[in-house]
Amino acid sequence: MTQPKPQPGILDIAPYKGGEGAIMGVDRVYKLSSNESPLGASPRAKEAYRKLADELHRYPDGAADALRKGIARHFGLPAENIICSNGSDEMISLICAAYCGPGDEVLFSQHGFLMYPIAAMARGATPVKAAEKNWTTDVDALLAAVTPKTKIVFVANPNNPTGSYITAAELRRLREGLPAGVLLVVDAAYAEYVSRNDYSHGAELVAERDDTVMLRTFSKIFGLGALRLGWTYAPENVVAVLNRVRGPFNVNAAAQAAGVAALEDVTWLDRARSHNDTELPRVTAALNALGLNVLPSVGNFVLIRFPGGAQQAQAADAALRKRGLILRAMGAYGLAEALRLTIGTADENDLVIAALGDFLNKG
Ligand code: PMP
């Protein structure tokens, strides 16, 4: 039978593979593959989620009004410039749907988040990679890669999977070096974890301009990955465009209710942040002491580079899996010599450190 023909570019997409959560034949697994919070969601968010069961027959508020107001209050931003989405993944797709098409280029850095090329190609646009320096976004390389076809530039700050970041000054230099009107998307999914004074998630640039947006998510420090909830701070013209392309009820009611409650639980957020502040340097130091090359990270994950290259990384992955420890292989990011580890509970982190110690001693 004749098959329907997808749009050009779609069959060239390498489908996104999420972090695995199970291993055949292993009962007890430790999922450290998707940068989820080891503390889970706030008890208040869980309660709000449970309470929603009695309202399942109702459509959600299509404008996500209470949630946008909650975000505005929590982050000190104007509610009318906030737009919510079904995870920030959806917003990456919506931005591409609205701002690029066949013949256009979408620019991002060498080891940038995989959803950027996927969303660009789904719209027939051409993804363009700019080389990184020292596993960090290189502003000069991005600026050098700009052509008249460039419509969108995605920068994850901090970047996943490298854990590196660029300073507020560098981000501003990027923005000012890009042609006005080229949409700069600062994807700050891990912003809440960063404790550096010279870091910026880009909100100040959004406030100043018509062509810059900041993406955020509830999937990481807020621990609501299952509900799919992201939000974007954008200038009025971009909000008006995105409101035209999103689904009318793109954020489900459970996500809205849990999101509002999670924002109110500042104590829970502080706990998640301080857990990471303790465990991130501890894990980094312990793994480096084993002779591994752990990139300095400002997020809730580390990229572990193996001195023996891709082969050793693969063997380490297999050894970890035998103990139920699931990290993320990085071949799809051009980093086959590395595994990405999400910072887990102290016990989970100890298991990884011990397993890699044993692996290296035997290896
Ligand atoms: N951006 C970056 C940089 C990420 O690492 C992720 C999660 N892997 C996302 C966006 C997507 O997050 P969400 O769960 O909100 O779709």
Side-chain angles (χ1 to χ4, degrees):
M1 220 190 268
T2 309
Q3 298 182 353
K5 203 167 160 228
Q7 290 291 308
I10 289 184
L11 289 177
D12 299 327
I13 294 172
Y16 185 88
K17 268 209 208 141
E20 290 167 68
I23 304 173
M24 278 261 284
V26 180
D27 289 339
R28 178 78 173 95
V29 297
Y30 306 89
K31 183 170 186 263
L32 301 167
S33 55
S34 298
N35 300 344
E36 295 149 344
S37 172
L39 274 61
S42 144
R44 286 165 70 168
K46 290 182 190 174
E47 183 53 28
Y49 175 77
R50 280 189 205 101
K51 264 171 106 177
L52 196 94
D54 294 331
E55 299 294 323
L56 285 182
H57 56 302
R58 303 276 180 217
Y59 274 80
D61 171 11
D65 214 37
L67 175 61
R68 288 191 303 108
K69 287 188 177 130
I71 292 168
R73 211 175 309 120
H74 184 96
F75 291 97
L77 298 170
E80 61 274 21
N81 293 100
I82 308 288
I83 176 164
C84 297
S85 56
N86 187 33
S88 40
D89 282 343
E90 187 200 27
M91 192 52 80
I92 293 166
S93 295
L94 292 175
I95 285 169
C96 286
Y99 290 101
C100 71
D104 294 334
E105 291 175 353
V106 172
L107 182 58
F108 51 93
S109 76
Q110 188 179 353
H111 303 299
F113 184 44
L114 282 179
M115 281 307 296
Y116 310 149
I118 289 176
M121 289 166 81
R123 302 295 162 180
T126 305
V128 178
K129 279 187 200 171
E132 293 184 7
K133 225 186 225 157
N134 210 7
W135 297 280
T136 306
T137 299
D138 179 353
V139 169
D140 292 314
L142 281 169
L143 291 176
V146 173
T147 76
K149 294 178 184 168
T150 308
K151 291 288 156 55
I152 306 171
V153 180
F154 284 102
V155 172
N157 204 32
N159 189 44
N160 169 24
T162 53
S164 58
Y165 76 105
I166 57 170
T167 64
E170 279 292 275
L171 192 61
R172 178 170 292 277
R173 190 165 76 81
L174 172 63
R175 177 61 272 183
E176 289 174 358
L178 291 173
V182 167
L183 184 64
L184 174 63
V185 180
V186 184
D187 179 350
Y190 302 93
E192 289 86 354
Y193 288 108
V194 186
S195 55
R196 303 291 174 95
N197 290 334
D198 60 356
Y199 167 75
S200 167
H201 37 48
E204 74 283 6
L205 298 173
V206 178
E208 284 169 23
R209 309 182 55 105
D210 286 337
D211 53 9
T212 303
V213 304
M214 170 183 75
L215 304 193
R216 303 288 285 267
T217 182
F218 280 83
S219 300
K220 306 301 173 188
I221 203 161
F222 290 97
L224 294 177
L227 291 179
R228 315 305 302 123
L229 182 57
W231 62 277
T232 299
Y233 173 41
E236 194 183 327
N237 73 91
V238 177
V239 171
V241 167
L242 294 171
N243 270 328
R244 285 169 165 80
V245 292
R246 73 177 174 90
F249 305 104
N250 61 327
V251 179
N252 71 73
Q256 292 187 33
V260 169
L263 288 166
E264 287 166 359
D265 197 347
V266 178
T267 312
W268 191 261
L269 266 185
D270 286 345
R271 264 174 69 182
R273 197 177 289 117
S274 79
H275 172 81
N276 200 65
D277 285 347
T278 311
E279 288 297 301
L280 175 70
R282 185 178 79 83
V283 170
T284 304
L287 295 178
N288 277 329
L290 293 176
L292 297 165
N293 178 3
V294 180
L295 299 188
S297 170
V298 295
N300 68 333
F301 56 90
V302 285
L303 192 72
I304 308 168
R305 300 184 61 249
F306 287 78
Q311 218 175 358
Q312 193 185 25
Q314 220 172 35
D317 199 21
L320 288 159
R321 280 164 173 273
K322 275 198 186 137
R323 298 190 187 187
L325 296 161
I326 310 180
L327 280 66
R328 187 74 156 262
M330 287 283 117
Y333 283 91
L335 295 160
E337 79 286 7
L339 297 176
R340 192 192 65 196
L341 167 69
T342 302
I343 298 299
T345 63
D347 287 349
E348 288 169 337
N349 299 334
D350 283 341
L351 289 175
V352 172
I353 294 163
L356 285 173
D358 290 348
F359 167 75
L360 293 165
N361 281 333
K362 280 180 202 142

